[in-house]
Amino acid sequence: MPVRQDWKVYRNVRTLNKSNKMSIIEINNLTKIYDGSEVEVIAVNGIDLSFDKGEFAAIVGPSGSGKTTFLNLLGGLDRPTSGEVIVDGVNIWNLKSRKLIDFRMNNIGFVFQSYNLIPVLTAKENVEFVMHLQGRPKAERYKRTRELMESVGLADRLNSRPAKLSGGQQQRVAVARALASKPKFILADEPTANLDSKSTENLLDIMENLNKDENITFIFSTHDARVVKKARRVITIEDGKVVWDEKR
Amino acid sequence: MNNIIIAWRNLWRNKRRTLITVASVFFGVLFSTVMTSMQEGSYSSMVDNVVKFYSGYIQVHSEDYWENKTINNTFEPTDSLIDKISQVKEVIHFTPRLESFALASSEEITKGVMVLGVDPVKESQVTGIEKWIEKGRYLNPGDKGILVGIDLAKYLQLDLNDTIVLLSQGYHGISAAGKYPIAGILNFPSPELNRQTLYMELSNCQDFYSAYNLLTSLVIMVKNQYDLPDAMKELRNEISSPFSVMSWNEMQPELVQMIEADRAGGVFMKALLYMIIGFGILGTIMMMISERRREMGVMVAIGMQRFKLGNIIFFETLFIGFLGVLVGFLGSIPIIGYYYNNPIRLPADAAEIMIEMGIEPLLYFSWMPSVFYNQVITIFVITALIAIYPVYKSRTMKVNLALRA
């Protein structure tokens, strides 16, 4: 078990991963500075990391450490001040706005802390939505929606609106939605933060099974010890820097 | 899926929000339509008071008459003149008049009055004067009796069959004096006419003024004011010196100016109303967008292009605008229909002031199609302009912030 004081050693994990042919995400010197009215805030401070296909990685750190900002930069939701995010050889921050949105649609799945399902759509429609955007045929959409809803244990709630589902059920629908576009990786920002222990357990099992069975890459930020326990890689961020990167 | 279908479906997935927004457009249309109807109704009533009860849409005079309205500037209607007027297809009726002033006296009271010598049959066709008889009877051809306005009769303290004495100057300075029995009392909707008019049978009037076979005007009616420009054009082509052809708005410039001045004030009021309505709708749309900010953020985050999101929200706002103007239009029909048939009577104090100004103390409503479609179009255009706001917001939204909204 590495000790915290030796964090600099573990920054070099990046170098190790760079040589790995399976790496799907390369992050180089990623920095995000917010210009406050009086003082600028460095939310992400020169992070270098890489992720391999099939990783089940947790980003941990105290509140305000920069976990969410880091995931937003990684997912193309927030523009970095400097640095690059390379997904399968594409620097996503070199893409124009429209291309970036298309890139997100086809390559990245999102699971948000507060589920963020579209309230006017049913569970089935939420899952189908991204496939609509991708222009997939109706039959394929229907089949995949059924499969995904079954895989998250909600085949009987296809026509329920989010408001009629529990928090755990909504988050499972969100996972199904994130998988619908067949993304290269899924980013989950504190996916269990609003869930009770049973729902958390359930959701983690689903995510872990999808990761193991279908080799889907999950990168999630969390405070939750149960989630950290399941992760096979734990990256600790403090003050916008990676201070710990442990592979299990 | 088609953006329009998605937009329509979205509306009904949150009925409460949609209905609140539709209601803001509905009230906008309702207020502006009712207000415009009342405004146009009052103008129509003013014009009717002048055109339909008195001046007609067009008059033919001797060319000097309008500048110098004396009994000496009369003319003798020739067959050719009558033929030319009859041949204009927009003209539905016309009637001869001899019109001048006289002093009317009862036992101890005297008042200046306007004397109109009319052809009883033709006058009734043009101005429908017969229906305003309050007491007594209408005139017959060759009748020696006269008709007086109700307020004039009251002022002179005269009633049916009482005798009225008229004194004036006749054609080329001849003295005009006569005694006439009151055959009927008229109660026009126009207080001004009630106060000062006196009708005589034409030949009786010509005899009184010694203006035999002479007229001051031929009063012409067309079907409605939309036929007026064509009729005027044709009459002016056909009729020239020594006659002149004038339309009602040339003869009543004060009325036209009054309406135009009021309309100008109305434009300001309406602009104010449209601003209130517009900001009401904008406020509701802003609330809707604020409420849906996270939803919009999620859509863009997972792959919806901003322009597509903007299109969907634009269509949603247009649908809201369309539904609002539709129900506003349908809602305003019964209200305006009711008040069109039952004009609002002003309270006593206000009514008195209006009567003194020579205006009928009733608030009329207009039933013209333009009242409805102008408002419907205006509010729809306002809503369409407001729909730019959500499109702008969807284009400029910061996704990471929207997701935390």
Side-chain angles (χ1 to χ4, degrees), chain A residues 72 77-78 98 101-102 104-105 110 112 114 116 118-122 125 129-130 132-133 161 177, chain B residues 1 9-10 12-14 17 294-295 298-308 399-400 403:
Chain A
N72 284 342
L77 298 177
D78 196 3
R98 284 189 185 191
I101 291 174
D102 279 343
R104 279 204 302 262
M105 176 175 70
F110 291 95
F112 303 100
S114 42
N116 281 354
I118 298 167
V120 293
L121 303 182
T122 61
E125 288 166 342
F129 186 79
V130 71
H132 267 302
L133 298 175
R161 295 264 199 99
R177 178 180 68 182
Chain B
M1 202 186 295
R9 188 193 60 188
N10 281 354
W12 303 112
R13 291 293 175 88
N14 195 330
R17 184 173 64 204
R294 181 184 288 201
E295 179 188 328
V298 172
M299 286 179 172
V300 174
I302 65 178
M304 179 175 260
Q305 290 292 348
R306 288 170 189 269
F307 72 86
K308 186 167 181 173
V399 178
N400 60 324
L403 288 170

Side-chain angles (χ1 to χ4, degrees), chain A residues 90-105:
Chain A
V90 176
N91 183 354
I92 66 168
W93 288 111
N94 280 347
L95 297 172
K96 293 205 167 143
S97 175
R98 284 189 185 191
K99 292 275 183 197
L100 179 59
I101 291 174
D102 279 343
F103 189 87
R104 279 204 302 262
M105 176 175 70

Side-chain angles (χ1 to χ4, degrees), chain A residues 151-175:
Chain A
S151 71
V152 296
L154 289 171
D156 57 334
R157 304 306 300 267
L158 285 171
N159 294 313
S160 300
R161 295 264 199 99
K164 299 284 179 191
L165 299 172
S166 69
Q169 287 172 327
Q170 286 189 57
Q171 200 60 302
R172 278 145 65 192
V173 175
V175 171

Side-chain angles (χ1 to χ4, degrees), chain A residues 123-132 138 141-142 145:
Chain A
K124 178 183 73 177
E125 288 166 342
N126 264 286
V127 176
E128 265 193 303
F129 186 79
V130 71
M131 291 189 279
H132 267 302
K138 192 175 179 180
R141 292 198 313 256
Y142 180 80
T145 302

